[in-house]
Amino acid sequence: GGEREGTGWEGKERATVCKSELIEGYMMKGLMVALLYGGTSISITFFNKAVLSVYDFNFPMLLTLIQMLCSLTFLFVSRQQQWIAAPPLSWTHARLVLPVSVCFSGMVMTGLAALRLVNVPMFGALRRLTTLIVVAGQFLVMRKATPPDELLAVVTMVLGALVAGMGDITVSFVGLCLVSLNCFVTAGYLVCIGKLKRETTMDTFTQMLYNNLLSLVPMILVVSVSEVGEELVSFPHWSDPMFLLCLVMSATQAFLLNWFIFLCSRVNSPLTTSVTGQIKGILTTVFGFFLFDDTVPAPLMVFGLTASSVASIWYAKIKFEQQHRAKSKESPLPSYEQPRRYRPVNL
């Protein structure tokens, strides 16, 4: 009887350890996806800034269209070669993805238009407003209250960004409006992806395919009306290899960024995706001071950016501790101090 009881306890212990290892593996996957999303987001911000500001490519909607066409090319080739599995297209799925597609188009267009008018450090700082909007949206839609320390960190991030904006002598009012609009649209995009994840079983590539297809025709119409003309044809850098390299990198990394945003929102929560955005925003702010010459540091601007960045680190720490506590409650580690009656008896 003692041997059977011991074997049962050892089996439970092994099952608990395996479950713990699976959860740790899932957490590592979530961390890796978040890092890939953050790294790609930093990189594409700099390439977009180079295309739009350094080379004065005053066609942000055309750049968006090029990025969409590049993403669709990758998706259709991968589907044709059976590198990815995607179900046949259907109107039912299209209707479900439509809100995501609308938010996606708005996010990309407002982001590129704002980046042309706002320097990189301020762009990254002001986009931290997205987290506050996500917190408010979760409370209004899901009645999910935010802990006081977390809310204080988010508010400090936003206030620091606003103080930095007051101290930025190169700030553009139109640029500020576009960044603010971009924050609202990005928050809606993250929430819509999270909602789609809960309501459907669509994989990442299928969502991306619908997302880009639904956005394509409206974007073609916008570009045809607003940006096609003599100025586009006579753009002086079409033969510049460095400009073309930046344009290609921008287009290809747009596909990777969309993929990693989808993965991050599916593997993690929308709020975790937003946290990753805050961390990469700090790095973007630092590098943006040195890589582009449109940033003029001022004491108030530096103070605001520093306060916002420190609050971002505090916020990330709070979210990490919350996730760690939640995982610990879901899967407590096995206790090795079991009562003696569960141990095998050696006679």
Side-chain angles (χ1 to χ4, degrees):
E3 291 183 0
R4 284 195 298 270
E5 289 175 354
T7 302
W9 174 76
E10 291 174 356
K12 292 179 180 178
E13 178 186 3
R14 284 195 298 270
T16 306
V17 171
C18 289
K19 182 180 178 182
S20 176
E21 291 175 349
L22 286 173
I23 291 177
E24 288 178 2
Y26 185 82
M27 291 177 67
M28 286 303 298
K29 179 182 178 182
L31 176 62
M32 182 61 65
V33 170
L35 289 175
L36 289 172
Y37 157 55
T40 306
S41 182
I42 292 172
S43 178
I44 195 174
T45 297
F46 292 137
F47 280 115
N48 285 341
K49 182 66 175 177
V51 170
L52 296 168
S53 295
V54 176
Y55 292 99
D56 200 25
F57 189 72
N58 191 24
F59 310 100
M61 306 307 151
L62 178 60
L63 180 58
T64 304
L65 178 60
I66 293 172
Q67 292 175 349
M68 287 181 179
L69 291 173
C70 186
S71 297
L72 283 172
T73 301
F74 280 129
L75 288 168
F76 275 114
V77 169
S78 300
R79 195 178 183 217
Q80 184 68 27
Q81 297 298 320
Q82 297 184 343
W83 297 335
I84 60 174
L89 299 176
S90 71
W91 286 110
T92 301
H93 284 164
R95 286 194 297 271
L96 291 173
V97 182
L98 184 59
V100 178
S101 179
V102 172
C103 291
F104 168 76
S105 299
M107 179 183 69
V108 175
M109 288 189 294
T110 56
L112 289 176
L115 189 59
R116 187 174 183 276
L117 300 173
V118 179
N119 60 63
V120 171
M122 282 305 308
F123 181 78
L126 291 171
R127 274 182 52 83
R128 289 171 189 152
L129 176 62
T130 301
T131 305
L132 181 60
I133 299 171
V134 171
V135 168
Q138 288 188 340
F139 176 76
L140 293 174
V141 175
M142 296 180 285
R143 295 300 174 186
K144 181 180 178 181
T146 302
D149 57 344
E150 180 182 333
L151 184 60
L152 181 59
V154 173
V155 172
T156 305
M157 280 193 299
V158 174
L159 289 178
L162 294 177
V163 169
M166 293 170 60
D168 184 7
I169 62 175
T170 66
V171 69
S172 162
F173 177 76
V174 176
L176 288 177
C177 292
L178 286 171
V179 174
S180 301
L181 180 59
N182 179 258
C183 290
F184 280 96
V185 180
T186 301
Y189 180 64
L190 295 175
V191 172
C192 285
I193 291 179
K195 184 173 182 291
L196 190 66
K197 176 181 68 173
R198 293 191 301 270
E199 296 179 353
T200 71
T201 58
M202 265 190 286
D203 62 89
T204 301
F205 293 104
T206 303
Q207 291 181 24
M208 290 178 63
L209 184 59
Y210 279 105
N211 192 36
N212 284 277
L213 280 175
L214 291 171
S215 305
L216 185 61
V217 173
M219 189 57 59
I220 291 176
L221 293 175
V222 170
V223 171
S224 301
V225 171
S226 63
E227 295 186 349
V228 173
E230 179 63 28
E231 185 181 357
L232 177 62
V233 175
S234 59
F235 180 69
H237 297 291
W238 284 123
S239 59
D240 188 334
M242 289 305 298
F243 166 76
L244 294 177
L245 174 63
C246 291
L247 185 63
V248 170
M249 292 300 293
S250 172
T252 54
Q253 289 197 359
F255 167 74
L256 294 176
L257 178 59
N258 292 333
W259 183 25
F260 292 144
I261 289 177
F262 269 120
L263 285 179
C264 196
S265 294
R266 291 189 74 87
V267 175
N268 303 303
S269 68
L271 201 55
T272 302
T273 305
S274 183
V275 171
T276 305
Q278 309 314 315
I279 298 174
K280 65 91 179 174
I282 297 174
L283 299 176
T284 302
T285 298
V286 173
F287 292 138
F289 271 109
F290 303 101
L291 294 180
F292 300 97
D293 58 3
D294 62 345
T295 304
V296 181
L300 190 61
M301 176 184 178
V302 173
F303 172 78
L305 290 175
T306 302
S308 185
S309 298
V310 170
S312 294
I313 297 173
W314 179 27
Y315 178 73
K317 177 178 179 294
I318 292 171
K319 296 307 296 181
F320 175 80
E321 291 174 347
Q322 288 177 357
Q323 186 177 25
H324 181 71
R325 287 194 298 267
K327 294 297 181 183
S328 298
K329 290 180 181 179
E330 290 176 8
S331 179
L333 292 177
S335 173
Y336 294 96
E337 295 298 325
Q338 299 291 336
R340 190 173 299 278
R341 63 188 177 88
Y342 287 109
R343 296 180 180 177
V345 178
N346 296 321
L347 300 176

